[in-house]
Amino acid sequence: MPTERFQFTGEGGHQLAAALELPDGEPVAFALFAHCFTCGKDTLAAKRISVALAASGIAVLRFDFTGLGSSEGEFANSTFSSNVADLVRAADHLRSVRKAPSILIGHSLGGAAILAAADQIPEARAVATIAAPSDPAHVTGLFKEHIDEIRTQGEVEVSLAGRPFRIKREFIDDIAEHELMKDVTGLHKALLVMHSPVDDTVGIDNATRIFVAARHPKSFVSLDHADHLLTKPTDALYAADVIAAWASRYIAAKPAKAMDLPGEPRKVVVQETRKSKFNQTITVGPHHLVADEPVAAGGADAGPGPYDFLLAGFGACTSMTMRLYADRKSLPLERVTVTLKHSKIHAKDCEECETREGMLDQIERDIAMDGALDAEQRRRLMEIADKCPVHRTLTSEIRIVTKAVD
């Protein structure tokens, strides 16, 4: 199963490292996963659960919070509120490039953060917590002997799981102010609480408080004999299987068609995201792209523009056509590079054009060919470039049929 790795901009302006675990076919749903305190997106529990859910058809986005893993920023400058804001940013990014998450999953303090962020992710219909505290301030118990020192000095380095972390007074103050039970009571989404009765980091009583405060539909599953970090592969896989089965009631029953029927033209679907003025999502079978306009044209430059895609299709077709010919003729063509540019020119400046007035579209195409090709082989390949199907489409009469649909 493929894993896409990329970055997105967090609440503090830092680039946060993310991984999107994808199923082999079209996802039945998208999920957002929040890892535990001072952990990362590639911890055993986070990765195992994500991979197992992908095997069930659910794509899972996980990322490193600010200052952790491969993400930018200083961990000392992060707070519980900033983590919640980063989760909302992650959902926004997923919405813009793929589809908004309908499932939210949080492990340990990540579970508390998911509960706090859920109301700000309207598409989410199902929320699952794993070993989550009922009060985010529970995490301060990990460095309770330093609390007074942190309040006095403003910032202190503490050791957590054998690693040094700097904790600021702002973190303690922020986490103390958050009333998580209000978020749980007002959740209005399906909730699955998973917890181990032998968890010696976050006690089972936390799960009881969350479950009692939540409204139906709510479910509780005991992760019997599991430790807090789900270090045993069987525990993580069991948690993933339960989440997949439970969430199936709240997501699409089967995936959208990933393949087009033989003989039918493949459909391209373009839809506004409303994230910015021109931002669009483009679906081509199992492939998902983003289109936008440059900032100078009023867009956010979140993706290529319409003419960029036109040139990309033209360039790809050119290169593919040349490659087919070169391989068929056993020509020593090692690599083709096609560089294109679109502009508007005055018709009167084009001597070979039939149109003599107004403006014309002009596409400049530069083709570089690597390999031990002689002059005749290069000449022939340049002729073949003009025979690519997209070239012929662009230079022939085109009929466009448009109709309004409900």
Side-chain angles (χ1 to χ4, degrees):
M1 291 172 289
T3 302
E4 290 186 2
R5 294 188 179 271
F6 53 88
Q7 294 181 325
F8 67 93
T9 304
E11 181 69 14
H14 301 297
Q15 292 299 298
L16 305 185
L20 179 61
E21 212 71 50
L22 291 164
D24 290 329
E26 185 74 4
V28 297
F30 285 83
L32 176 60
F33 188 101
H35 62 70
C36 52
F37 183 58
T38 71
C39 299
K41 68 180 185 304
D42 293 320
T43 55
L44 291 176
K47 186 162 187 178
R48 285 168 177 165
I49 291 173
S50 298
V51 170
L53 286 172
S56 297
I58 299 171
V60 183
L61 172 64
R62 62 188 195 277
F63 67 95
D64 295 323
F65 284 115
T66 300
L68 295 173
S70 300
S71 288
E72 295 178 348
E74 294 292 332
F75 174 79
N77 294 329
S78 66
T79 63
F80 181 74
S81 293
S82 70
N83 287 345
V84 172
D86 284 341
L87 283 168
V88 176
R89 285 293 189 100
D92 290 343
H93 181 81
L94 193 55
R95 182 186 298 110
S96 68
V97 300
R98 293 280 187 164
K99 189 176 181 181
S102 56
I103 306 169
L104 306 178
I105 307 165
H107 181 204
S108 193
L109 188 63
I114 277 292
L115 289 169
D119 187 56
Q120 302 177 62
I121 306 174
E123 297 90 345
R125 301 184 60 193
V127 180
T129 64
I130 303 170
S134 59
D135 183 352
H138 182 282
V139 76
T140 60
L142 298 175
F143 47 88
K144 58 185 177 182
E145 67 274 16
H146 297 286
I147 296 294
D148 291 340
E149 189 180 2
I150 294 171
R151 291 197 179 282
T152 301
Q153 299 184 20
E155 181 178 351
V156 171
E157 183 176 285
V158 303
S159 178
L160 300 173
R163 295 181 296 158
F165 292 93
R166 299 200 70 80
I167 305 294
K168 288 187 175 181
R169 184 191 301 118
E170 289 81 2
F171 177 86
I172 297 175
D173 292 342
D174 175 82
I175 212 164
E177 293 174 357
H178 206 98
E179 299 181 31
L180 187 64
M181 287 301 96
K182 287 186 177 180
D183 296 318
V184 175
T185 302
L187 189 59
H188 300 299
K189 301 177 189 289
L191 175 65
L192 171 63
V193 179
M194 308 181 76
H195 215 110
S196 169
V198 296
D199 190 331
D200 57 5
T201 302
V202 178
I204 189 68
D205 54 314
N206 287 269
T208 301
R209 283 192 288 271
I210 293 174
F211 186 80
V212 170
R215 298 177 181 179
H216 285 291
K218 57 182 178 180
S219 304
F220 174 80
V221 171
S222 176
L223 300 175
D224 200 15
H225 303 300
D227 59 24
H228 180 69
L229 294 177
L230 304 186
T231 52
K232 294 180 181 178
T234 51
D235 292 332
L237 295 178
Y238 173 72
D241 287 344
V242 171
I243 292 172
W246 166 79
S248 65
R249 193 174 186 88
Y250 308 103
I251 60 178
K254 57 183 178 181
K257 185 178 67 174
M259 300 295 293
D260 296 285
L261 295 175
E264 288 189 358
R266 183 142 81 168
K267 292 181 180 178
V268 176
V269 180
V270 181
Q271 186 177 54
E272 286 185 306
T273 67
R274 304 306 294 157
K275 184 174 177 62
S276 61
K277 185 175 181 180
F278 296 118
N279 195 271
Q280 314 280 325
T281 58
I282 302 172
T283 303
V284 187
H287 310 293
H288 300 268
L289 310 168
V290 175
D292 208 332
E293 287 282 14
V295 175
D301 205 19
Y307 277 104
D308 297 329
F309 280 109
L310 177 67
L311 295 182
F314 184 25
C317 184
T318 298
S319 180
M320 291 175 184
T321 302
M322 295 173 70
R323 170 55 55 199
L324 284 171
Y325 180 83
D327 288 354
R328 189 166 60 247
K329 297 295 184 180
S330 299
L331 301 182
L333 177 65
E334 294 179 4
R335 177 177 293 171
V336 178
T337 304
V338 185
T339 305
L340 304 102
K341 183 173 65 175
H342 169 262
S343 60
K344 296 280 189 178
I345 64 169
H346 292 284
K348 62 182 180 181
D349 295 333
C350 179
E351 295 182 358
E352 67 270 24
C353 297
E354 295 181 4
T355 303
R356 306 309 307 165
E357 297 181 357
M359 303 295 290
L360 291 174
D361 288 283
Q362 176 171 287
I363 295 177
E364 298 174 53
R365 180 178 57 169
D366 297 331
I367 303 175
M369 293 171 278
D370 296 337
L373 298 161
D374 59 33
E376 175 58 26
Q377 290 170 333
R378 288 179 178 273
R379 183 196 66 78
R380 182 56 180 154
L381 283 168
M382 289 299 290
E383 289 181 351
I384 294 299
D386 285 343
K387 297 182 182 298
C388 95
V390 172
H391 188 145
R392 287 187 290 203
T393 296
L394 290 172
T395 55
S396 64
E397 183 178 1
I398 303 174
R399 179 173 178 250
I400 300 176
V401 181
T402 304
K403 61 181 179 180
V405 295
D406 294 332

